[in-house]
Amino acid sequence: MARAELDGSAAVTRSLLGWGVVAGPFYVVLGLALALTRPGFELSHHALSLLMLGEHGWLQRTNLVLTGLMVLAAALGAARALRDGRGLAIATTTAIYGLALLASAVALPDPAAGFPPGSADVPTATTISTHGLLHIVFGALGFLALAVGTFAEATWRASLGERGAARRSRLLGAVVLVGFLAGAALAQLVIGTLLLWVAVLAGFAWLALATARLYAHVPHPLYARRSAPAAG
């Protein structure tokens, strides 16, 4: 293939955006695999972040770091795909979420609800440590940024006349925000764990849908396959 036939910039942008689709399934599937194989872990009582504790905690920490890097790649792709204020807003909020994931992998949560096994006898199981507090703060910042990103993307969608998609983005943003806040407030209850799961899934669903739409917005890397300019 002749070099002149390929738009390298468009190819890179699309590749970066593709990680936004991969990030959610990667995190959830690997997280569930670890949750189902770690002794003492119960999905109905324990948040996935607790998997970062204990002997095999490095596996979930790696999961979080790799997912965070994927989200950051998608954020860069968004900045390249939509070079205006709306693109900057989507990219910035997505990048904050990615950085929050990385920071959460460093500031570990405190043991909770008897996990990891034997932690009930550890003082930090009943008091919030500095790293435990930072973990909560980073999580809150990440979910808040993600929610703001959904509304920024909804504004862009509405400007393209995609009103149904805009409403869906706003709805997912509301689910992320309410799910996290209510889940954090009810963290000691089964419903709280469920709400946190809902917030996580809604956030990754939005990320996948938003980056897929931006992917379609970027002109095809092969000049010969461009039938018309990208919409928007």
Side-chain angles (χ1 to χ4, degrees), residues 16-203:
L16 290 170
L17 288 168
W19 290 110
V21 178
V22 175
F26 178 88
Y27 177 78
V28 172
V29 171
L30 182 53
L32 284 175
L34 294 175
L36 295 174
T37 55
R38 286 286 299 275
F41 190 91
E42 296 182 30
L43 283 169
S44 60
H45 290 84
H46 302 131
L48 276 186
S49 60
L50 292 177
L51 287 171
M52 292 190 287
L53 304 176
E55 181 181 1
H56 301 292
W58 67 271
L59 291 169
Q60 179 62 6
R61 292 196 294 274
T62 301
N63 184 18
L64 206 61
V65 168
L66 292 177
T67 302
L69 293 175
M70 293 180 198
V71 173
L72 287 175
L76 179 57
R80 292 167 59 98
L82 202 57
R83 299 176 183 273
D84 59 17
R86 292 164 299 188
L88 180 61
I90 296 171
T92 300
T93 53
T94 302
I96 292 173
Y97 179 58
L99 290 173
L101 291 175
L102 295 178
S104 295
V106 176
L108 301 182
D110 288 321
F115 191 87
S119 62
D121 297 326
V122 179
T124 53
T126 55
T127 60
I128 300 180
S129 65
T130 300
H131 59 80
L133 179 60
L134 286 174
H135 184 84
I136 294 173
V137 170
F138 291 142
L141 288 175
F143 278 107
L144 177 59
L146 201 60
V148 173
T150 65
F151 294 110
E153 195 248 350
T155 300
W156 175 59
R157 293 280 203 131
S159 73
L160 298 178
E162 302 174 5
R163 301 190 182 281
R167 286 193 295 270
R168 181 179 61 202
S169 291
R170 295 190 189 98
L171 176 61
L172 288 172
V175 171
V176 168
L177 193 58
V178 174
F180 173 75
L181 292 176
L186 303 172
Q188 302 303 316
L189 304 176
V190 173
I191 186 63
T193 303
L194 175 61
L195 287 170
L196 289 174
W197 263 105
V198 170
V200 169
L201 293 176

